[in-house]
Amino acid sequence: MRVLAVNAGSSSLKLSVVEGAAPVAEVSVPADRGVWERAAVEEALAGLPEVGAVGHRVVHGGREFVAPVRLEAGVVERLRALAGLAPLHQPASLAGIEVVGRALPGVAAVACFDTAFHADLPEEAARYAVPERWWREWGVRRYGFHGLSHAYASRRAVEWTGGERVVVAHLGSGASLSAVLRGRCVDTTMGFTPLEGLVMATRSGTVDPGLVVWLQEWAGLSAGQVREALEERSGLVGLAGTADMREVVERRDAAAVLALGVYVHRLRAGVAAMAAAMGGVDTLVFTGGVGENAAVVRGEAARGLGFLGVEVDPVVNAGVRGEGEVGVPGASVRSLVVRAREDVEIARGVRGVLGG
């Protein structure tokens, strides 16, 4: 069955037609804060091959949606109730469901969740050390994100190397790590929201929760001001004034050097923590826009991970395009660059629900 994979973001609606295990056509429709013109979407769809089903990337499935689900009456409203857990992403996903659903009203649609891959985290990795009531009443736990990318990249790594212990570094505008042991995610860096974990383009990653309280109690900032700063004015843009890793790498000024240093410091520490969750690592995978294209980031990360057995060949690393193995031959940890293919993983989930 040919599947249309829909990946809705605040700046674009990405449409990819997947046949078998490979995309056969792709197009991107520009968006203004997650809003698309119906005519532009219909025009884009008209230029794509006919499909038998649609799969939508949805960032947050909460506690209820732990596997792909057919989009039927009531499901969208339950997804809308989760928007507060991923305010930068969930509204765009819902807008994509609406606009494509109107354009293709007779085609079955399935929601595929970024949180689902992490739904089976061991309890010790999933739970925060906070009052039990928070879990019971509000579902406070570590959900994890980028699951579609982590699922695809970890499966690709096992096919490539056969190693059972995989650390996936999804490094894009958002960034997260996962520890995947024999196909099961046993730890990850993002938590209750996509704000926890690594340094990102505009997001801070993990900060002391006491800082959030202090900023509101003593600095006089509102909850909205703190949230906006941590989500949109932190990370690389907060340290270097730009969210573009290419610019950070190219610049030599103190701010850019610091930004890269902080980014890599957190990345190395996170990889080591993921390896610890599995008792070691067989394969390290870099994926996402930064992971696939920033050889400097891969090289700098590996430079501090030699104690785990990670060794990257600088010449091969600098020359890889698309996918490739960048590790030194014979290194105890295989190091790969894998192209992010959430669309292929979405199509896999759709077929699992609908058959075909």
PDB file of all heavy atoms in Angstrom, residues 54-95:
ATOM      1  N   VAL A  54      -3.177   7.650   4.639  1.00  0.00           N
ATOM      2  CA  VAL A  54      -2.390   8.789   5.105  1.00  0.00           C
ATOM      3  C   VAL A  54      -1.913   8.513   6.524  1.00  0.00           C
ATOM      4  O   VAL A  54      -2.679   8.013   7.358  1.00  0.00           O
ATOM      5  CB  VAL A  54      -3.221  10.092   5.089  1.00  0.00           C
ATOM      6  CG1 VAL A  54      -2.404  11.264   5.628  1.00  0.00           C
ATOM      7  CG2 VAL A  54      -3.731  10.391   3.690  1.00  0.00           C
ATOM      8  N   GLY A  55      -0.651   8.840   6.792  1.00  0.00           N
ATOM      9  CA  GLY A  55      -0.116   8.745   8.144  1.00  0.00           C
ATOM     10  C   GLY A  55       0.372  10.103   8.607  1.00  0.00           C
ATOM     11  O   GLY A  55       1.096  10.785   7.872  1.00  0.00           O
ATOM     12  N   HIS A  56      -0.035  10.524   9.799  1.00  0.00           N
ATOM     13  CA  HIS A  56       0.342  11.826  10.336  1.00  0.00           C
ATOM     14  C   HIS A  56       1.318  11.664  11.494  1.00  0.00           C
ATOM     15  O   HIS A  56       1.068  10.867  12.416  1.00  0.00           O
ATOM     16  CB  HIS A  56      -0.889  12.573  10.844  1.00  0.00           C
ATOM     17  CG  HIS A  56      -1.830  13.003   9.772  1.00  0.00           C
ATOM     18  ND1 HIS A  56      -1.727  14.232   9.153  1.00  0.00           N
ATOM     19  CD2 HIS A  56      -2.889  12.375   9.201  1.00  0.00           C
ATOM     20  CE1 HIS A  56      -2.696  14.341   8.245  1.00  0.00           C
ATOM     21  NE2 HIS A  56      -3.413  13.241   8.263  1.00  0.00           N
ATOM     22  N   ARG A  57       2.398  12.414  11.463  1.00  0.00           N
ATOM     23  CA  ARG A  57       3.275  12.487  12.631  1.00  0.00           C
ATOM     24  C   ARG A  57       2.586  13.369  13.682  1.00  0.00           C
ATOM     25  O   ARG A  57       2.247  14.521  13.421  1.00  0.00           O
ATOM     26  CB  ARG A  57       4.622  13.097  12.259  1.00  0.00           C
ATOM     27  CG  ARG A  57       5.549  13.237  13.467  1.00  0.00           C
ATOM     28  CD  ARG A  57       6.742  14.117  13.165  1.00  0.00           C
ATOM     29  NE  ARG A  57       7.569  14.304  14.356  1.00  0.00           N
ATOM     30  CZ  ARG A  57       8.440  15.289  14.511  1.00  0.00           C
ATOM     31  NH1 ARG A  57       8.605  16.186  13.561  1.00  0.00           N
ATOM     32  NH2 ARG A  57       9.150  15.376  15.618  1.00  0.00           N
ATOM     33  N   VAL A  58       2.396  12.805  14.874  1.00  0.00           N
ATOM     34  CA  VAL A  58       1.850  13.554  16.000  1.00  0.00           C
ATOM     35  C   VAL A  58       2.871  13.468  17.121  1.00  0.00           C
ATOM     36  O   VAL A  58       3.299  12.368  17.498  1.00  0.00           O
ATOM     37  CB  VAL A  58       0.491  12.991  16.454  1.00  0.00           C
ATOM     38  CG1 VAL A  58      -0.034  13.760  17.656  1.00  0.00           C
ATOM     39  CG2 VAL A  58      -0.515  13.054  15.308  1.00  0.00           C
ATOM     40  N   VAL A  59       3.258  14.598  17.655  1.00  0.00           N
ATOM     41  CA  VAL A  59       4.354  14.623  18.612  1.00  0.00           C
ATOM     42  C   VAL A  59       3.986  13.928  19.922  1.00  0.00           C
ATOM     43  O   VAL A  59       4.755  13.129  20.444  1.00  0.00           O
ATOM     44  CB  VAL A  59       4.816  16.070  18.869  1.00  0.00           C
ATOM     45  CG1 VAL A  59       5.748  16.145  20.078  1.00  0.00           C
ATOM     46  CG2 VAL A  59       5.528  16.607  17.635  1.00  0.00           C
ATOM     47  N   HIS A  60       2.814  14.214  20.473  1.00  0.00           N
ATOM     48  CA  HIS A  60       2.497  13.724  21.821  1.00  0.00           C
ATOM     49  C   HIS A  60       1.253  12.848  21.833  1.00  0.00           C
ATOM     50  O   HIS A  60       0.187  13.259  21.392  1.00  0.00           O
ATOM     51  CB  HIS A  60       2.286  14.904  22.772  1.00  0.00           C
ATOM     52  CG  HIS A  60       2.770  14.649  24.166  1.00  0.00           C
ATOM     53  ND1 HIS A  60       2.372  13.565  24.912  1.00  0.00           N
ATOM     54  CD2 HIS A  60       3.641  15.331  24.958  1.00  0.00           C
ATOM     55  CE1 HIS A  60       2.960  13.600  26.101  1.00  0.00           C
ATOM     56  NE2 HIS A  60       3.735  14.658  26.154  1.00  0.00           N
ATOM     57  N   GLY A  61       1.405  11.643  22.362  1.00  0.00           N
ATOM     58  CA  GLY A  61       0.271  10.746  22.512  1.00  0.00           C
ATOM     59  C   GLY A  61      -0.180  10.584  23.943  1.00  0.00           C
ATOM     60  O   GLY A  61      -1.153   9.867  24.204  1.00  0.00           O
ATOM     61  N   GLY A  62       0.532  11.233  24.886  1.00  0.00           N
ATOM     62  CA  GLY A  62       0.164  11.121  26.293  1.00  0.00           C
ATOM     63  C   GLY A  62       0.236   9.685  26.778  1.00  0.00           C
ATOM     64  O   GLY A  62       0.953   8.852  26.236  1.00  0.00           O
ATOM     65  N   ARG A  63      -0.536   9.393  27.821  1.00  0.00           N
ATOM     66  CA  ARG A  63      -0.566   8.023  28.357  1.00  0.00           C
ATOM     67  C   ARG A  63      -1.484   7.106  27.557  1.00  0.00           C
ATOM     68  O   ARG A  63      -1.347   5.885  27.598  1.00  0.00           O
ATOM     69  CB  ARG A  63      -1.016   8.039  29.824  1.00  0.00           C
ATOM     70  CG  ARG A  63       0.021   8.582  30.772  1.00  0.00           C
ATOM     71  CD  ARG A  63      -0.350   8.333  32.226  1.00  0.00           C
ATOM     72  NE  ARG A  63      -1.439   9.193  32.690  1.00  0.00           N
ATOM     73  CZ  ARG A  63      -1.890   9.197  33.942  1.00  0.00           C
ATOM     74  NH1 ARG A  63      -1.345   8.385  34.844  1.00  0.00           N
ATOM     75  NH2 ARG A  63      -2.863  10.014  34.306  1.00  0.00           N
ATOM     76  N   GLU A  64      -2.425   7.697  26.833  1.00  0.00           N
ATOM     77  CA  GLU A  64      -3.426   6.888  26.135  1.00  0.00           C
ATOM     78  C   GLU A  64      -2.921   6.287  24.839  1.00  0.00           C
ATOM     79  O   GLU A  64      -3.150   5.097  24.549  1.00  0.00           O
ATOM     80  CB  GLU A  64      -4.661   7.749  25.838  1.00  0.00           C
ATOM     81  CG  GLU A  64      -5.739   7.003  25.080  1.00  0.00           C
ATOM     82  CD  GLU A  64      -6.957   7.864  24.781  1.00  0.00           C
ATOM     83  OE1 GLU A  64      -6.946   9.064  25.153  1.00  0.00           O
ATOM     84  OE2 GLU A  64      -7.905   7.348  24.174  1.00  0.00           O
ATOM     85  N   PHE A  65      -2.218   7.074  24.033  1.00  0.00           N
ATOM     86  CA  PHE A  65      -1.845   6.623  22.695  1.00  0.00           C
ATOM     87  C   PHE A  65      -0.393   6.141  22.693  1.00  0.00           C
ATOM     88  O   PHE A  65       0.540   6.931  22.593  1.00  0.00           O
ATOM     89  CB  PHE A  65      -2.050   7.754  21.688  1.00  0.00           C
ATOM     90  CG  PHE A  65      -3.481   8.226  21.605  1.00  0.00           C
ATOM     91  CD1 PHE A  65      -3.853   9.453  22.141  1.00  0.00           C
ATOM     92  CD2 PHE A  65      -4.452   7.443  21.012  1.00  0.00           C
ATOM     93  CE1 PHE A  65      -5.165   9.899  22.077  1.00  0.00           C
ATOM     94  CE2 PHE A  65      -5.778   7.873  20.943  1.00  0.00           C
ATOM     95  CZ  PHE A  65      -6.137   9.099  21.476  1.00  0.00           C
ATOM     96  N   VAL A  66      -0.220   4.836  22.804  1.00  0.00           N
ATOM     97  CA  VAL A  66       1.119   4.252  22.894  1.00  0.00           C
ATOM     98  C   VAL A  66       1.471   3.447  21.641  1.00  0.00           C
ATOM     99  O   VAL A  66       2.481   2.734  21.600  1.00  0.00           O
ATOM    100  CB  VAL A  66       1.255   3.375  24.151  1.00  0.00           C
ATOM    101  CG1 VAL A  66       1.059   4.217  25.397  1.00  0.00           C
ATOM    102  CG2 VAL A  66       0.257   2.212  24.129  1.00  0.00           C
ATOM    103  N   ALA A  67       0.648   3.574  20.607  1.00  0.00           N
ATOM    104  CA  ALA A  67       0.878   2.913  19.321  1.00  0.00           C
ATOM    105  C   ALA A  67       0.083   3.690  18.274  1.00  0.00           C
ATOM    106  O   ALA A  67      -0.821   4.467  18.620  1.00  0.00           O
ATOM    107  CB  ALA A  67       0.426   1.452  19.368  1.00  0.00           C
ATOM    108  N   PRO A  68       0.394   3.511  16.987  1.00  0.00           N
ATOM    109  CA  PRO A  68      -0.376   4.203  15.958  1.00  0.00           C
ATOM    110  C   PRO A  68      -1.868   3.886  16.080  1.00  0.00           C
ATOM    111  O   PRO A  68      -2.254   2.780  16.470  1.00  0.00           O
ATOM    112  CB  PRO A  68       0.207   3.644  14.647  1.00  0.00           C
ATOM    113  CG  PRO A  68       1.600   3.232  15.009  1.00  0.00           C
ATOM    114  CD  PRO A  68       1.507   2.712  16.412  1.00  0.00           C
ATOM    115  N   VAL A  69      -2.711   4.872  15.757  1.00  0.00           N
ATOM    116  CA  VAL A  69      -4.150   4.698  15.896  1.00  0.00           C
ATOM    117  C   VAL A  69      -4.865   5.346  14.716  1.00  0.00           C
ATOM    118  O   VAL A  69      -4.446   6.390  14.214  1.00  0.00           O
ATOM    119  CB  VAL A  69      -4.644   5.309  17.231  1.00  0.00           C
ATOM    120  CG1 VAL A  69      -4.371   6.815  17.278  1.00  0.00           C
ATOM    121  CG2 VAL A  69      -6.120   5.034  17.460  1.00  0.00           C
ATOM    122  N   ARG A  70      -5.922   4.680  14.273  1.00  0.00           N
ATOM    123  CA  ARG A  70      -6.712   5.242  13.177  1.00  0.00           C
ATOM    124  C   ARG A  70      -7.425   6.498  13.652  1.00  0.00           C
ATOM    125  O   ARG A  70      -7.963   6.550  14.766  1.00  0.00           O
ATOM    126  CB  ARG A  70      -7.729   4.219  12.675  1.00  0.00           C
ATOM    127  CG  ARG A  70      -8.495   4.682  11.439  1.00  0.00           C
ATOM    128  CD  ARG A  70      -9.142   3.525  10.733  1.00  0.00           C
ATOM    129  NE  ARG A  70      -9.847   3.970   9.534  1.00  0.00           N
ATOM    130  CZ  ARG A  70     -10.204   3.167   8.536  1.00  0.00           C
ATOM    131  NH1 ARG A  70      -9.915   1.877   8.597  1.00  0.00           N
ATOM    132  NH2 ARG A  70     -10.844   3.646   7.491  1.00  0.00           N
ATOM    133  N   LEU A  71      -7.420   7.526  12.811  1.00  0.00           N
ATOM    134  CA  LEU A  71      -8.048   8.802  13.162  1.00  0.00           C
ATOM    135  C   LEU A  71      -9.540   8.712  12.885  1.00  0.00           C
ATOM    136  O   LEU A  71     -10.012   8.907  11.765  1.00  0.00           O
ATOM    137  CB  LEU A  71      -7.407   9.938  12.369  1.00  0.00           C
ATOM    138  CG  LEU A  71      -6.014  10.351  12.861  1.00  0.00           C
ATOM    139  CD1 LEU A  71      -5.320  11.230  11.832  1.00  0.00           C
ATOM    140  CD2 LEU A  71      -6.108  11.071  14.201  1.00  0.00           C
ATOM    141  N   GLU A  72     -10.277   8.402  13.950  1.00  0.00           N
ATOM    142  CA  GLU A  72     -11.729   8.294  13.868  1.00  0.00           C
ATOM    143  C   GLU A  72     -12.355   9.331  14.792  1.00  0.00           C
ATOM    144  O   GLU A  72     -11.657  10.085  15.470  1.00  0.00           O
ATOM    145  CB  GLU A  72     -12.162   6.877  14.248  1.00  0.00           C
ATOM    146  CG  GLU A  72     -11.621   5.820  13.297  1.00  0.00           C
ATOM    147  CD  GLU A  72     -11.953   4.411  13.724  1.00  0.00           C
ATOM    148  OE1 GLU A  72     -11.985   4.140  14.940  1.00  0.00           O
ATOM    149  OE2 GLU A  72     -12.174   3.574  12.826  1.00  0.00           O
ATOM    150  N   ALA A  73     -13.654   9.363  14.842  1.00  0.00           N
ATOM    151  CA  ALA A  73     -14.373  10.333  15.666  1.00  0.00           C
ATOM    152  C   ALA A  73     -13.905  10.263  17.117  1.00  0.00           C
ATOM    153  O   ALA A  73     -13.802   9.203  17.701  1.00  0.00           O
ATOM    154  CB  ALA A  73     -15.867  10.059  15.587  1.00  0.00           C
ATOM    155  N   GLY A  74     -13.618  11.402  17.673  1.00  0.00           N
ATOM    156  CA  GLY A  74     -13.208  11.464  19.068  1.00  0.00           C
ATOM    157  C   GLY A  74     -11.714  11.456  19.285  1.00  0.00           C
ATOM    158  O   GLY A  74     -11.219  12.001  20.277  1.00  0.00           O
ATOM    159  N   VAL A  75     -10.959  10.831  18.386  1.00  0.00           N
ATOM    160  CA  VAL A  75      -9.510  10.731  18.574  1.00  0.00           C
ATOM    161  C   VAL A  75      -8.855  12.105  18.479  1.00  0.00           C
ATOM    162  O   VAL A  75      -7.998  12.459  19.302  1.00  0.00           O
ATOM    163  CB  VAL A  75      -8.880   9.754  17.552  1.00  0.00           C
ATOM    164  CG1 VAL A  75      -7.358   9.813  17.620  1.00  0.00           C
ATOM    165  CG2 VAL A  75      -9.366   8.331  17.808  1.00  0.00           C
ATOM    166  N   VAL A  76      -9.251  12.885  17.504  1.00  0.00           N
ATOM    167  CA  VAL A  76      -8.640  14.204  17.320  1.00  0.00           C
ATOM    168  C   VAL A  76      -8.876  15.086  18.541  1.00  0.00           C
ATOM    169  O   VAL A  76      -7.977  15.813  18.985  1.00  0.00           O
ATOM    170  CB  VAL A  76      -9.169  14.888  16.043  1.00  0.00           C
ATOM    171  CG1 VAL A  76      -8.671  16.334  15.966  1.00  0.00           C
ATOM    172  CG2 VAL A  76      -8.711  14.126  14.806  1.00  0.00           C
ATOM    173  N   GLU A  77     -10.067  15.013  19.102  1.00  0.00           N
ATOM    174  CA  GLU A  77     -10.352  15.832  20.287  1.00  0.00           C
ATOM    175  C   GLU A  77      -9.491  15.401  21.465  1.00  0.00           C
ATOM    176  O   GLU A  77      -9.038  16.234  22.257  1.00  0.00           O
ATOM    177  CB  GLU A  77     -11.832  15.750  20.650  1.00  0.00           C
ATOM    178  CG  GLU A  77     -12.739  16.500  19.684  1.00  0.00           C
ATOM    179  CD  GLU A  77     -12.266  17.933  19.453  1.00  0.00           C
ATOM    180  OE1 GLU A  77     -12.047  18.659  20.448  1.00  0.00           O
ATOM    181  OE2 GLU A  77     -12.101  18.324  18.290  1.00  0.00           O
ATOM    182  N   ARG A  78      -9.247  14.106  21.603  1.00  0.00           N
ATOM    183  CA  ARG A  78      -8.391  13.635  22.695  1.00  0.00           C
ATOM    184  C   ARG A  78      -6.950  14.072  22.467  1.00  0.00           C
ATOM    185  O   ARG A  78      -6.220  14.365  23.416  1.00  0.00           O
ATOM    186  CB  ARG A  78      -8.496  12.105  22.833  1.00  0.00           C
ATOM    187  CG  ARG A  78      -9.924  11.642  23.093  1.00  0.00           C
ATOM    188  CD  ARG A  78     -10.021  10.365  23.853  1.00  0.00           C
ATOM    189  NE  ARG A  78      -9.452   9.206  23.195  1.00  0.00           N
ATOM    190  CZ  ARG A  78     -10.081   8.482  22.264  1.00  0.00           C
ATOM    191  NH1 ARG A  78     -11.295   8.818  21.858  1.00  0.00           N
ATOM    192  NH2 ARG A  78      -9.510   7.429  21.743  1.00  0.00           N
ATOM    193  N   LEU A  79      -6.549  14.147  21.204  1.00  0.00           N
ATOM    194  CA  LEU A  79      -5.204  14.639  20.896  1.00  0.00           C
ATOM    195  C   LEU A  79      -5.105  16.142  21.174  1.00  0.00           C
ATOM    196  O   LEU A  79      -4.066  16.635  21.621  1.00  0.00           O
ATOM    197  CB  LEU A  79      -4.854  14.365  19.429  1.00  0.00           C
ATOM    198  CG  LEU A  79      -4.739  12.899  19.020  1.00  0.00           C
ATOM    199  CD1 LEU A  79      -4.441  12.794  17.534  1.00  0.00           C
ATOM    200  CD2 LEU A  79      -3.643  12.201  19.824  1.00  0.00           C
ATOM    201  N   ARG A  80      -6.193  16.851  20.909  1.00  0.00           N
ATOM    202  CA  ARG A  80      -6.198  18.296  21.137  1.00  0.00           C
ATOM    203  C   ARG A  80      -6.004  18.609  22.624  1.00  0.00           C
ATOM    204  O   ARG A  80      -5.381  19.607  22.991  1.00  0.00           O
ATOM    205  CB  ARG A  80      -7.512  18.898  20.630  1.00  0.00           C
ATOM    206  CG  ARG A  80      -7.452  20.399  20.373  1.00  0.00           C
ATOM    207  CD  ARG A  80      -8.769  20.905  19.817  1.00  0.00           C
ATOM    208  NE  ARG A  80      -9.185  20.196  18.629  1.00  0.00           N
ATOM    209  CZ  ARG A  80      -8.712  20.422  17.404  1.00  0.00           C
ATOM    210  NH1 ARG A  80      -7.793  21.355  17.226  1.00  0.00           N
ATOM    211  NH2 ARG A  80      -9.153  19.718  16.372  1.00  0.00           N
ATOM    212  N   ALA A  81      -6.502  17.731  23.480  1.00  0.00           N
ATOM    213  CA  ALA A  81      -6.376  17.939  24.916  1.00  0.00           C
ATOM    214  C   ALA A  81      -4.935  17.813  25.396  1.00  0.00           C
ATOM    215  O   ALA A  81      -4.612  18.240  26.506  1.00  0.00           O
ATOM    216  CB  ALA A  81      -7.256  16.936  25.661  1.00  0.00           C
ATOM    217  N   LEU A  82      -4.054  17.250  24.566  1.00  0.00           N
ATOM    218  CA  LEU A  82      -2.650  17.080  24.936  1.00  0.00           C
ATOM    219  C   LEU A  82      -1.778  18.237  24.471  1.00  0.00           C
ATOM    220  O   LEU A  82      -0.566  18.213  24.682  1.00  0.00           O
ATOM    221  CB  LEU A  82      -2.111  15.768  24.332  1.00  0.00           C
ATOM    222  CG  LEU A  82      -2.785  14.474  24.796  1.00  0.00           C
ATOM    223  CD1 LEU A  82      -2.308  13.300  23.945  1.00  0.00           C
ATOM    224  CD2 LEU A  82      -2.508  14.224  26.264  1.00  0.00           C
ATOM    225  N   ALA A  83      -2.370  19.250  23.852  1.00  0.00           N
ATOM    226  CA  ALA A  83      -1.586  20.342  23.259  1.00  0.00           C
ATOM    227  C   ALA A  83      -0.715  21.060  24.277  1.00  0.00           C
ATOM    228  O   ALA A  83       0.374  21.533  23.959  1.00  0.00           O
ATOM    229  CB  ALA A  83      -2.510  21.331  22.554  1.00  0.00           C
ATOM    230  N   GLY A  84      -1.175  21.142  25.519  1.00  0.00           N
ATOM    231  CA  GLY A  84      -0.397  21.831  26.536  1.00  0.00           C
ATOM    232  C   GLY A  84       0.925  21.159  26.854  1.00  0.00           C
ATOM    233  O   GLY A  84       1.845  21.805  27.377  1.00  0.00           O
ATOM    234  N   LEU A  85       1.053  19.860  26.544  1.00  0.00           N
ATOM    235  CA  LEU A  85       2.298  19.135  26.803  1.00  0.00           C
ATOM    236  C   LEU A  85       3.340  19.371  25.713  1.00  0.00           C
ATOM    237  O   LEU A  85       4.523  19.131  25.936  1.00  0.00           O
ATOM    238  CB  LEU A  85       2.018  17.634  26.932  1.00  0.00           C
ATOM    239  CG  LEU A  85       1.118  17.227  28.099  1.00  0.00           C
ATOM    240  CD1 LEU A  85       0.862  15.724  28.066  1.00  0.00           C
ATOM    241  CD2 LEU A  85       1.748  17.627  29.424  1.00  0.00           C
ATOM    242  N   ALA A  86       2.902  19.810  24.542  1.00  0.00           N
ATOM    243  CA  ALA A  86       3.840  20.096  23.443  1.00  0.00           C
ATOM    244  C   ALA A  86       3.304  21.290  22.659  1.00  0.00           C
ATOM    245  O   ALA A  86       2.889  21.169  21.508  1.00  0.00           O
ATOM    246  CB  ALA A  86       4.000  18.879  22.532  1.00  0.00           C
ATOM    247  N   PRO A  87       3.313  22.489  23.286  1.00  0.00           N
ATOM    248  CA  PRO A  87       2.644  23.648  22.679  1.00  0.00           C
ATOM    249  C   PRO A  87       3.271  24.130  21.381  1.00  0.00           C
ATOM    250  O   PRO A  87       2.607  24.809  20.592  1.00  0.00           O
ATOM    251  CB  PRO A  87       2.751  24.720  23.776  1.00  0.00           C
ATOM    252  CG  PRO A  87       3.909  24.296  24.623  1.00  0.00           C
ATOM    253  CD  PRO A  87       3.891  22.800  24.605  1.00  0.00           C
ATOM    254  N   LEU A  88       4.542  23.793  21.139  1.00  0.00           N
ATOM    255  CA  LEU A  88       5.179  24.209  19.888  1.00  0.00           C
ATOM    256  C   LEU A  88       4.869  23.247  18.745  1.00  0.00           C
ATOM    257  O   LEU A  88       5.049  23.598  17.577  1.00  0.00           O
ATOM    258  CB  LEU A  88       6.701  24.293  20.069  1.00  0.00           C
ATOM    259  CG  LEU A  88       7.231  25.358  21.034  1.00  0.00           C
ATOM    260  CD1 LEU A  88       8.761  25.301  21.072  1.00  0.00           C
ATOM    261  CD2 LEU A  88       6.758  26.742  20.635  1.00  0.00           C
ATOM    262  N   HIS A  89       4.413  22.030  19.061  1.00  0.00           N
ATOM    263  CA  HIS A  89       4.311  20.992  18.044  1.00  0.00           C
ATOM    264  C   HIS A  89       2.896  20.457  17.839  1.00  0.00           C
ATOM    265  O   HIS A  89       2.470  20.255  16.705  1.00  0.00           O
ATOM    266  CB  HIS A  89       5.230  19.822  18.407  1.00  0.00           C
ATOM    267  CG  HIS A  89       6.661  20.192  18.607  1.00  0.00           C
ATOM    268  ND1 HIS A  89       7.154  20.624  19.816  1.00  0.00           N
ATOM    269  CD2 HIS A  89       7.703  20.208  17.754  1.00  0.00           C
ATOM    270  CE1 HIS A  89       8.449  20.886  19.698  1.00  0.00           C
ATOM    271  NE2 HIS A  89       8.802  20.648  18.464  1.00  0.00           N
ATOM    272  N   GLN A  90       2.180  20.188  18.920  1.00  0.00           N
ATOM    273  CA  GLN A  90       0.878  19.535  18.793  1.00  0.00           C
ATOM    274  C   GLN A  90      -0.117  20.330  17.950  1.00  0.00           C
ATOM    275  O   GLN A  90      -0.802  19.747  17.108  1.00  0.00           O
ATOM    276  CB  GLN A  90       0.306  19.257  20.182  1.00  0.00           C
ATOM    277  CG  GLN A  90      -0.759  18.170  20.213  1.00  0.00           C
ATOM    278  CD  GLN A  90      -0.156  16.776  20.277  1.00  0.00           C
ATOM    279  OE1 GLN A  90       1.029  16.596  20.024  1.00  0.00           O
ATOM    280  NE2 GLN A  90      -0.962  15.792  20.611  1.00  0.00           N
ATOM    281  N   PRO A  91      -0.208  21.658  18.114  1.00  0.00           N
ATOM    282  CA  PRO A  91      -1.152  22.401  17.276  1.00  0.00           C
ATOM    283  C   PRO A  91      -0.857  22.261  15.780  1.00  0.00           C
ATOM    284  O   PRO A  91      -1.784  22.177  14.964  1.00  0.00           O
ATOM    285  CB  PRO A  91      -0.980  23.849  17.752  1.00  0.00           C
ATOM    286  CG  PRO A  91      -0.515  23.711  19.175  1.00  0.00           C
ATOM    287  CD  PRO A  91       0.397  22.515  19.152  1.00  0.00           C
ATOM    288  N   ALA A  92       0.425  22.234  15.409  1.00  0.00           N
ATOM    289  CA  ALA A  92       0.768  22.076  13.996  1.00  0.00           C
ATOM    290  C   ALA A  92       0.347  20.700  13.490  1.00  0.00           C
ATOM    291  O   ALA A  92      -0.164  20.561  12.371  1.00  0.00           O
ATOM    292  CB  ALA A  92       2.269  22.281  13.792  1.00  0.00           C
ATOM    293  N   SER A  93       0.566  19.658  14.302  1.00  0.00           N
ATOM    294  CA  SER A  93       0.144  18.308  13.908  1.00  0.00           C
ATOM    295  C   SER A  93      -1.365  18.263  13.683  1.00  0.00           C
ATOM    296  O   SER A  93      -1.856  17.684  12.701  1.00  0.00           O
ATOM    297  CB  SER A  93       0.534  17.292  14.987  1.00  0.00           C
ATOM    298  OG  SER A  93       1.924  17.222  15.170  1.00  0.00           O
ATOM    299  N   LEU A  94      -2.121  18.870  14.585  1.00  0.00           N
ATOM    300  CA  LEU A  94      -3.578  18.883  14.469  1.00  0.00           C
ATOM    301  C   LEU A  94      -4.033  19.674  13.239  1.00  0.00           C
ATOM    302  O   LEU A  94      -4.977  19.284  12.555  1.00  0.00           O
ATOM    303  CB  LEU A  94      -4.187  19.478  15.738  1.00  0.00           C
ATOM    304  CG  LEU A  94      -4.018  18.604  16.991  1.00  0.00           C
ATOM    305  CD1 LEU A  94      -4.317  19.412  18.241  1.00  0.00           C
ATOM    306  CD2 LEU A  94      -4.908  17.384  16.917  1.00  0.00           C
ATOM    307  N   ALA A  95      -3.323  20.778  12.962  1.00  0.00           N
ATOM    308  CA  ALA A  95      -3.653  21.555  11.760  1.00  0.00           C
ATOM    309  C   ALA A  95      -3.381  20.747  10.497  1.00  0.00           C
ATOM    310  O   ALA A  95      -4.140  20.815   9.525  1.00  0.00           O
ATOM    311  CB  ALA A  95      -2.845  22.848  11.739  1.00  0.00           C
TER     312      ALA A  95
END
